[in-house]
Amino acid sequence: MKLLGVIFVLGLMHSVYSQRTPTISYISQEQIKDIGGTVEFVCSVQYSQDYPVLWIKVNKNREDQLPISTNTALIIRDSRFALRSDPSSSTYTLQIKDIQETDAGFYLCQILISTSSKISAEVELQVRRPPIISDNSTRSLVVSEGQPVELNCYAGGFPTPRISWRRENNAILPTGGSIYRGNTLKIAHVRKEDRGTYYCVAENGVGRGARRNINLEIEFAPVITAPRPRLGQALQYDMDLECHVEAYPPPGITWHKDEVQLSNNQHYSISHFATADEYTDTTLRVITIEKKQYGEYVCKAANKLGTAETRVELFEVAVPNINYPGLRWGGSQRQGASMWLLTVSAIFTFTKCIT
């Protein structure tokens, strides 16, 4: 009878033990690793002797699943992966060497109980990645003066990159200061002085960071200045009249006298020299000045945003302006100027002797 009782108790205990539900008693915490490093995931289970225990990789969007191992055997063939098991503690350790960016995701320790029942626990692997500026960031922008502007910069990477803005040569930003932090740089009313190169910088402590140059071009109406609004020159000499034009898009530039547009001929020579997209120097050379060529000249510039003009007066003088860079003279003019200089010198010498 005692033997029957012992057998009954053992049978009952086996029945109870076999009916216990498998559980996962431990799984590693979230892991953050560098590319090229090594990581280990540990999973401890209980009452799972009769059930398969798997490691499964799930990607970030939780759509694709990749079985890696079952019990003590690897399923995938990849020398970077290794599996260790400890029967005494029912522990399964998954190791990944030479970590790649694609290894980031969730790793599931899973006990399959039936076709419709399973027990799972997961650990996330985050892989540090240097910043990469996204394609949906601003590359360049052309706007008209006075309009609002938004420059956007987004970057991927882990940890999440920090975005900052700077201008070329550390110039002051339209928002004030030399640095602005945030994904979007907003300018409420852009001015032509705001044009230029802006730098979007993404940093997260991994690698050297990333930078994108963003060119902001401002369309604005012409602004004209005359460095010498009044110029004197003698008859039969040449003289250059100059204007500086600032505008974008590049304007059409014309010279006028007495409401008549001038062109290149034996009396005038017009030239334009663009020093940058927004700057143009224009020169009107008055050739071998005649009496009728004295007076007021108008320099005009026009683009789709407006027009502007300034005036330059050419007046007659008795003494030729021989030091002016635009002066051009022939042999007789040079001889006449030399005689004039000799005369002035002689008068000065004679006056000095008398005194």
Side-chain angles (χ1 to χ4, degrees):
M1 292 295 292
K2 289 183 178 180
L3 180 59
L4 289 174
V6 171
I7 293 174
F8 175 76
V9 171
L10 290 175
L12 182 62
M13 290 178 62
H14 176 74
S15 177
V16 171
Y17 179 80
S18 62
Q19 291 177 4
R20 286 189 177 181
T21 303
T23 60
I24 296 174
S25 58
Y26 173 81
I27 192 166
S28 301
Q29 299 297 310
E30 176 189 57
Q31 301 288 307
I32 300 175
K33 298 293 181 178
D34 293 321
I35 291 177
T38 299
V39 67
E40 288 189 346
F41 304 123
V42 178
C43 178
S44 298
V45 299
Q46 291 180 325
Y47 318 123
S48 64
Q49 291 87 342
D50 299 328
Y51 303 97
V53 178
L54 291 78
W55 278 107
I56 300 172
K57 186 202 171 187
V58 182
N59 62 12
K60 286 281 189 179
N61 57 21
R62 296 184 179 274
E63 292 178 355
D64 298 327
Q65 293 191 1
L66 174 66
I68 298 174
S69 68
T70 175
N71 290 336
T72 60
L74 283 173
I75 298 175
I76 63 172
R77 293 185 178 181
D78 190 327
S79 60
R80 298 185 304 115
F81 287 76
L83 183 67
R84 301 193 310 270
S85 62
D86 182 358
S88 63
S89 60
S90 297
T91 298
Y92 300 85
T93 302
L94 176 66
Q95 182 188 72
I96 308 174
K97 297 182 294 184
D98 189 21
I99 294 171
Q100 305 299 312
E101 184 176 340
T102 53
D103 294 327
F106 299 92
Y107 289 79
L108 273 61
C109 177
Q110 189 172 93
I111 305 173
L112 290 180
I113 299 174
S114 68
T115 56
S116 59
S117 178
K118 56 190 175 184
I119 297 172
S120 300
E122 68 180 33
V123 54
E124 183 178 5
L125 171 61
Q126 303 228 37
V127 180
R128 293 188 183 95
R129 306 182 308 279
I132 298 177
I133 294 178
S134 306
D135 290 338
N136 60 343
S137 301
T138 306
R139 292 186 177 274
S140 62
L141 206 57
V142 179
V143 296
S144 298
E145 190 172 27
Q147 290 184 338
V149 169
E150 285 191 7
L151 304 180
N152 297 306
C153 186
Y154 306 99
F158 183 81
T160 302
R162 302 175 301 277
I163 304 296
S164 61
W165 295 87
R166 296 176 177 84
R167 286 188 74 175
E168 192 173 17
N169 300 321
N170 284 325
I172 300 299
L173 292 163
T175 53
S178 59
I179 299 178
Y180 177 81
R181 302 190 186 280
N183 292 93
T184 302
L185 177 66
K186 294 183 179 182
I187 308 172
H189 303 284
V190 74
R191 305 172 302 159
K192 67 178 186 296
E193 293 80 12
D194 298 329
R195 68 186 183 272
T197 302
Y198 289 74
Y199 302 130
C200 159
V201 181
E203 300 169 301
N204 68 351
V206 182
R208 300 178 59 184
R211 190 180 83 169
R212 171 173 290 183
N213 299 351
I214 299 171
N215 185 54
L216 176 61
E217 194 61 74
I218 311 300
E219 295 181 328
F220 59 97
V223 177
I224 302 182
T225 57
R228 299 177 181 85
R230 296 188 75 249
L231 292 167
Q233 184 60 288
L235 285 168
Q236 298 301 304
Y237 288 85
D238 297 353
M239 179 55 72
D240 286 350
L241 314 183
E242 297 179 348
C243 284
H244 298 327
V245 182
E246 184 180 4
Y248 190 83
I253 301 173
T254 55
W255 284 90
H256 302 256
K257 186 178 189 301
D258 300 328
E259 299 184 355
V260 176
Q261 181 175 332
L262 304 178
S263 58
N264 289 316
N265 52 37
Q266 69 272 25
H267 301 294
Y268 298 103
S269 176
I270 300 172
S271 59
H272 307 310
F273 179 70
T275 57
D277 287 343
E278 302 88 359
Y279 298 101
T280 304
D281 293 335
T282 178
T283 301
L284 171 67
R285 172 164 289 179
V286 186
I287 303 170
T288 314
I289 297 173
E290 300 176 1
K291 200 79 172 177
K292 63 181 180 180
Q293 291 175 290
Y294 290 116
E296 194 172 66
Y297 290 80
V298 180
C299 172
K300 294 183 178 182
N303 65 11
K304 67 179 184 179
L305 296 176
T307 61
E309 64 180 47
T310 191
R311 298 171 187 274
V312 181
E313 181 185 357
L314 176 63
F315 60 90
E316 183 178 2
V317 293
V319 179
N321 188 348
I322 60 174
N323 295 319
Y324 190 71
L327 178 68
R328 185 180 66 183
W329 51 8
S332 61
Q333 293 168 330
R334 187 179 299 107
Q335 182 179 4
S338 299
M339 291 298 296
W340 177 83
L341 288 173
L342 289 172
T343 302
V344 171
S345 177
I347 293 173
F348 176 76
T349 303
F350 176 75
T351 305
K352 186 174 181 181
C353 290
I354 293 176
T355 56

